[in-house]
Amino acid sequence: MSQRWLKFLEFLGSPLRAKAAPVDVFAPGRVREGAWYEFAHHEALFRLFGPHPDSPWYPYHCPTIFAAIDKLHIMPRPIATSAEITAEAPAGAWKWLTSESAVIVELAGGLSVQLGARLLVEAGAQLVSTFDHWPRANPMPKVHQDPRGLAAQPWPPQAVSRSVAIDSRDVIDCMASLAPNVFARIQQGIAADAPPVWMCDMRRMAVSKPGPGNFDNRYFIDDSILPSAKLLSRKGIRWLVYFSYLPAPSPSADLVGFLRDCHEAGIHLYNAAVTEPTTWVEPLPITTPPPEARFLGFQYPKSRAGGFGRRVPVPTESSGSGAFAGAGG
Amino acid sequence: MKTIAWPLDDAEIDEALRALQFRHCKWDLYTRGRQSILPDALVLSEDEHDELTRAAEDVWRALRQLEAAVLRDAEALAGVGVPAGLYRALAEERAGSPRVTRCDFHPTPEGSWLISEFNEDAPTGFAEAEGLCSVLADSFEDRAAGLRFVGDLKGAVTAALAPFERVGLVFPTGYSEDLQHVALVSEWLSEHGHRTVLGSPANLIMDGGRAAIFDQPVQALFRYFPGEAIPELDNAGDWEGASRTLPMMNSLSATVAQSKRFYAAPNEHDLALPTEARDTIAAHVPTTLYLRPSRRDQLMTERERWVLKGAFGRMGDAICMGAALTPEDWERVIDAALAEADQIAVQEWFDTAPHWFSHGLGYPTVGAFLVDGRFAGYYSRVSKNPVIDYESRYVPTLVEVS
């Protein structure tokens, strides 16, 4: 193994140093070049793509995909951004993003990260990650390339693993790629009461055909990740913007009850769409309240085999509601 | 037992929790926005620790005798609520699998301890029982003289699986709260030189007596998936094969003892259970019965004496305390429960003693992990109500040393 490679692993705090101290990217001297690979450590990304530590939304920031980077030895790669997300914003875009607003971005994986990062950089939002799964079941095969030499992969990702229900490598790669911009903006100051942006992967409950050789890593968003409408109101949130790819959205089933609760709590619901930049300036009001039907895990048997596998009739701490839950007792 | 606050300032508490989150796979540090770990600790005297350890191990042994008796008796096996689809796997099950269990003790106002149940199938609390104690140990050693964390869950689990180089760990893969436990155990095993592979129960394939997950051969399984759900899987046949040949922590027979109706079996069936085992269970576990239509009147007139429990309920779900309901509500609950009486147990209610914590009064439950029947560490929780449920918060347990 080359000295350069060893240094890089040491820099990342790799398993070579199992008890490495927590990484603080904001510590003086920690970031030298401001290059993406200086932020590839899972704790660095967790800090950058999460809320201000004093924010009321910090407890909702989900660590699962960040833990995967560590435990599965995932080496983030640079990746290009979508032209749709980076399109020039019309004058007046994001003016509605104030401390009285909150945003749910529900796009395909990495697109949610890209849009979330844009809202942070251009409008001072704070991010909340909702990626509550691992992109694969077991550690990655060893990579033998020096990531400093890797050219950015094109967007969208060219190689997608078919052996997992959701290949969310793009989420990790987008975070690493955009980390320098996010870092620079956070250094300028993001307030603890900045508007929160929940970044959601719309693929999380995708239809899939699990088989013995496939990892069923679908998941849903529950009340450990989304706060109650009551708390949002108490913290002064008056507008919730649901950001979708197309206008006239149909939110995923696990968000419907949440949106309904917000509507009933007097929070005004709006929609903005990636394909409709005029909504970046003026989101459209959602006039029809979401249906009353509640998401119950067993109505969406995630698969018949493990994972979303079946209704596991036991609640655990974080799933709470008792309608669906994991195994622990 | 007494309680103390962690001898740490706010920044140190944050640091400890952050270390727990990523180093020890405790990803659900918050439940509904509230911290799931209480920066307090329970302190047991050495005598109390000895008493609890001895009781947990004694009852564990008695329960193994009861489990064997139930497994031998077809009527009792059906009575405790084990799905029929598991019977064949249980009948042919390989003996000698390692087992991890957690036993929940409750302090009573009289100063004694009662056990509400053992969590025999997929007990939770690995990160807290091992990880948080490891994170806090140094700070406490310096600032809380005369107190120590006891047990070695990591050592006990890895020792029990030591003979098997390749271990498969299966869990319900849609649930990160279960993945975090399995990821931690996998890490423990990897540190001890094992090769591990994670997957869902659907990823298990048996081929000619050999087991594999994702084409990786495995010699043993760590099963973190409810046994009662196994028969519903498409590959239930593979699980039957695995039960016959594969060491499994825990084996499918743990499903028998996981049922809340299991504790009623000595009262409901004519089992060949030694008197000593029967007496040991009766001395520590409240009287438990099956819910039957013939008991409706007794339950109505003795409302405050009884608690209803779902056979395979976990984390306090499907528990109804008669004392907490009006007679009218209790009647409605009883009548609704009678519609699925064969999945409900009735346990005698007992009073539990609250203690003062930094946030106010709370009801502690002291969980004792056992690996193969030997004490391996504490996982205790505090609830604002006398029932431990998903809103309970973890609290470390220390023992006074002389």
Side-chain angles (χ1 to χ4, degrees):
Chain A
M1 189 180 285
S2 74
Q3 283 302 308
R4 193 180 184 195
W5 184 238
L6 277 171
K7 278 184 181 172
F8 181 70
L9 287 176
E10 187 182 331
F11 175 79
L12 291 179
S14 76
L16 291 176
R17 297 188 302 156
K19 296 290 181 187
V23 169
D24 178 5
V25 284
F26 295 104
R30 173 76 199 182
V31 173
R32 297 188 183 98
E33 303 167 39
W36 69 269
Y37 46 78
E38 292 183 273
F39 305 97
H41 191 280
H42 63 284
E43 288 188 59
L45 294 176
F46 181 71
R47 171 69 184 88
L48 293 177
F49 289 85
H52 189 288
D54 297 328
S55 163
W57 318 120
Y58 187 82
Y60 299 93
H61 179 35
C62 178
T64 312
I65 204 166
F66 302 95
I69 298 171
D70 177 34
K71 303 300 179 191
L72 300 180
H73 312 154
I74 294 173
M75 185 76 71
R77 302 168 299 195
I79 192 165
T81 45
S82 158
E84 287 175 303
I85 301 292
T86 54
E88 188 176 346
W94 325 133
K95 294 283 188 199
W96 45 270
L97 207 51
T98 70
S99 59
E100 292 183 325
S101 54
V103 184
I104 303 282
V105 176
E106 190 170 40
L107 302 171
L111 285 178
S112 277
V113 173
Q114 293 176 33
L115 182 57
R118 180 168 189 177
L119 295 176
L120 180 145
V121 170
E122 295 183 4
Q126 56 182 331
L127 305 178
V128 188
S129 292
T130 70
F131 310 107
D132 194 14
H133 83 155
W134 277 10
R136 52 185 296 139
N138 291 289
M140 298 280 288
K142 285 181 180 168
V143 178
H144 297 291
Q145 286 176 294
D146 183 339
R148 291 184 197 229
L150 285 179
Q153 305 296 305
W155 183 269
Q158 304 298 296
V160 175
S161 171
R162 304 289 175 201
S163 64
V164 292
I166 311 159
D167 185 353
S168 54
R169 270 296 303 250
D170 61 328
V171 168
I172 294 168
D173 293 343
C174 283
M175 285 183 182
S177 303
L178 296 167
N181 301 342
V182 170
F183 172 74
R185 181 63 183 83
I186 291 176
Q187 274 195 313
Q188 293 170 22
I190 296 287
D193 67 346
V197 175
W198 273 265
M199 300 177 293
C200 309
D201 190 339
M202 65 180 290
R203 306 168 300 187
R204 64 188 176 277
M205 293 191 292
V207 175
S208 118
K209 285 188 178 176
N214 296 331
F215 179 50
D216 183 1
N217 62 347
R218 289 174 293 163
Y219 62 101
F220 50 81
I221 295 176
D222 65 8
D223 56 6
S224 68
I225 295 172
L226 285 175
S228 66
K230 197 173 158 187
L231 180 63
L232 285 169
S233 283
R234 208 163 60 231
K235 296 297 176 187
I237 301 297
R238 297 176 59 202
W239 301 285
L240 180 73
V241 177
Y242 174 80
F243 218 123
S244 52
Y245 186 71
L246 296 170
S250 51
S252 295
D254 53 350
L255 294 180
V256 170
F258 168 73
L259 294 173
R260 174 90 192 178
D261 287 347
C262 289
H263 169 74
E264 289 176 351
I267 297 172
H268 302 289
L269 302 181
Y270 290 86
N271 173 228
V274 170
T275 57
E276 198 58 64
T278 56
T279 62
W280 303 4
V281 179
E282 192 168 349
L284 303 170
I286 297 177
T287 50
T288 308
E292 286 190 32
R294 298 280 159 171
F295 172 74
L296 296 174
F298 58 81
Q299 289 179 351
Y300 291 84
K302 304 173 192 176
S303 80
R304 292 183 55 216
F308 259 63
R310 60 174 305 282
R311 179 166 69 101
V312 181
V314 287
T316 64
E317 291 91 332
S318 69
S319 57
S321 72
F324 45 81
Chain B
M1 182 170 70
K2 62 182 181 183
T3 65
I4 59 168
W6 292 4
L8 307 176
D9 62 32
D10 288 349
E12 290 171 319
I13 291 173
D14 286 347
E15 191 59 34
L17 295 180
R18 199 166 117 180
L20 180 70
Q21 185 173 45
F22 282 120
R23 279 194 214 154
H24 299 279
C25 302
K26 177 64 181 169
W27 305 331
D28 53 353
L29 279 178
Y30 299 91
T31 304
R32 293 178 173 167
R34 194 179 66 145
Q35 196 171 292
S36 60
I37 293 175
L38 198 62
D40 287 336
L42 300 176
V43 178
L44 301 172
S45 68
E46 263 187 314
D47 285 347
E48 284 173 319
H49 169 60
D50 290 345
E51 179 189 350
L52 295 185
T53 304
R54 193 166 48 248
E57 294 178 354
D58 287 350
V59 179
W60 189 90
R61 281 192 294 275
L63 292 179
R64 298 292 71 78
Q65 292 178 283
L66 175 58
E67 187 177 297
V70 169
L71 282 164
R72 284 192 300 267
D73 186 313
E75 186 188 309
L77 192 57
V80 301
V82 172
L86 268 188
Y87 292 172
R88 199 161 66 185
L90 294 178
E92 299 172 357
E93 187 171 83
R94 174 190 183 281
S97 277
R99 183 172 295 197
V100 59
T101 310
R102 199 191 70 239
C103 158
D104 287 342
F105 286 99
H106 305 260
T108 70
E110 295 77 32
S112 62
W113 297 86
L114 284 175
I115 297 170
S116 57
E117 62 194 37
F118 277 64
N119 290 277
E120 299 271 3
D121 210 31
T124 192
F126 294 83
E128 297 89 340
E130 199 279 334
L132 187 57
C133 297
S134 157
V135 166
L136 294 177
D138 289 344
S139 313
F140 274 64
E141 193 174 325
D142 295 341
R143 303 179 207 181
L147 303 179
R148 66 185 166 100
F149 292 103
V150 294
D152 178 10
L153 184 60
K154 177 180 172 179
V157 168
T158 52
L161 292 169
F164 316 110
E165 186 203 345
R166 292 168 172 266
V167 182
L169 300 97
V170 295
F171 65 104
T173 52
Y175 301 93
S176 62
E177 63 265 41
D178 296 322
L179 169 58
Q180 66 183 350
H181 293 299
V182 167
L184 181 63
V185 174
S186 172
E187 189 163 291
W188 292 352
L189 292 169
S190 296
E191 284 175 19
H192 283 74
H194 296 264
R195 298 178 70 174
T196 63
V197 55
L198 275 58
S200 99
N203 298 128
L204 175 71
I205 291 177
M206 295 297 296
D207 183 9
R210 294 185 178 180
I213 294 174
F214 292 130
D215 298 328
Q216 300 288 316
V218 295
Q219 297 157 343
L221 286 180
F222 182 87
R223 177 175 62 83
Y224 204 74
F225 189 86
E228 71 271 16
I230 294 287
E232 297 175 32
L233 299 173
D234 288 342
N235 63 337
D238 291 85
W239 277 90
E240 274 185 26
S243 182
R244 276 194 298 273
T245 59
L246 210 58
M248 216 182 280
M249 182 184 242
N250 292 339
S251 63
L252 292 176
S253 57
T255 313
V256 175
Q258 177 64 33
S259 170
K260 310 295 187 276
R261 287 166 67 92
F262 175 63
Y263 304 97
N267 303 318
E268 302 284 0
H269 302 281
D270 185 20
L271 295 173
L273 183 65
T275 305
E276 189 185 349
R278 195 179 290 267
D279 292 346
T280 299
I281 296 168
H284 294 90
V285 182
T287 301
T288 310
L289 302 169
Y290 291 168
L291 177 64
R292 297 179 187 278
S294 59
R295 294 198 166 114
R296 185 181 183 282
D297 289 347
Q298 180 192 4
L299 292 170
M300 287 307 303
T301 54
E302 298 175 351
R303 172 176 56 86
E304 295 184 351
R305 186 183 161 197
W306 298 104
V307 179
L308 297 188
K309 289 182 164 186
F312 290 105
R314 295 178 196 228
M315 292 302 299
D317 75 320
I319 287 183
C320 258
M321 294 170 57
L325 299 176
T326 64
E328 294 75 26
D329 285 345
W330 178 242
E331 183 172 17
R332 275 193 285 273
V333 165
I334 294 288
D335 287 338
L338 281 169
E340 47 179 13
D342 59 352
Q343 286 298 314
I344 307 282
V346 185
Q347 194 174 66
E348 196 163 21
W349 176 81
F350 57 93
D351 200 5
T352 54
H355 284 64
W356 283 104
F357 295 88
S358 53
H359 71 293
L361 212 54
Y363 293 86
T365 297
V366 178
F369 268 110
L370 302 171
V371 174
D372 288 337
R374 300 298 302 274
F375 174 78
Y378 283 118
Y379 169 78
S380 303
R381 287 167 292 173
V382 180
S383 177
K384 63 182 177 185
N385 299 311
V387 174
I388 289 293
D389 56 19
Y390 57 83
E391 291 195 335
S392 304
R393 304 167 80 182
Y394 170 76
V395 60
T397 303
L398 292 141
V399 175
E400 289 175 333
V401 288
S402 46

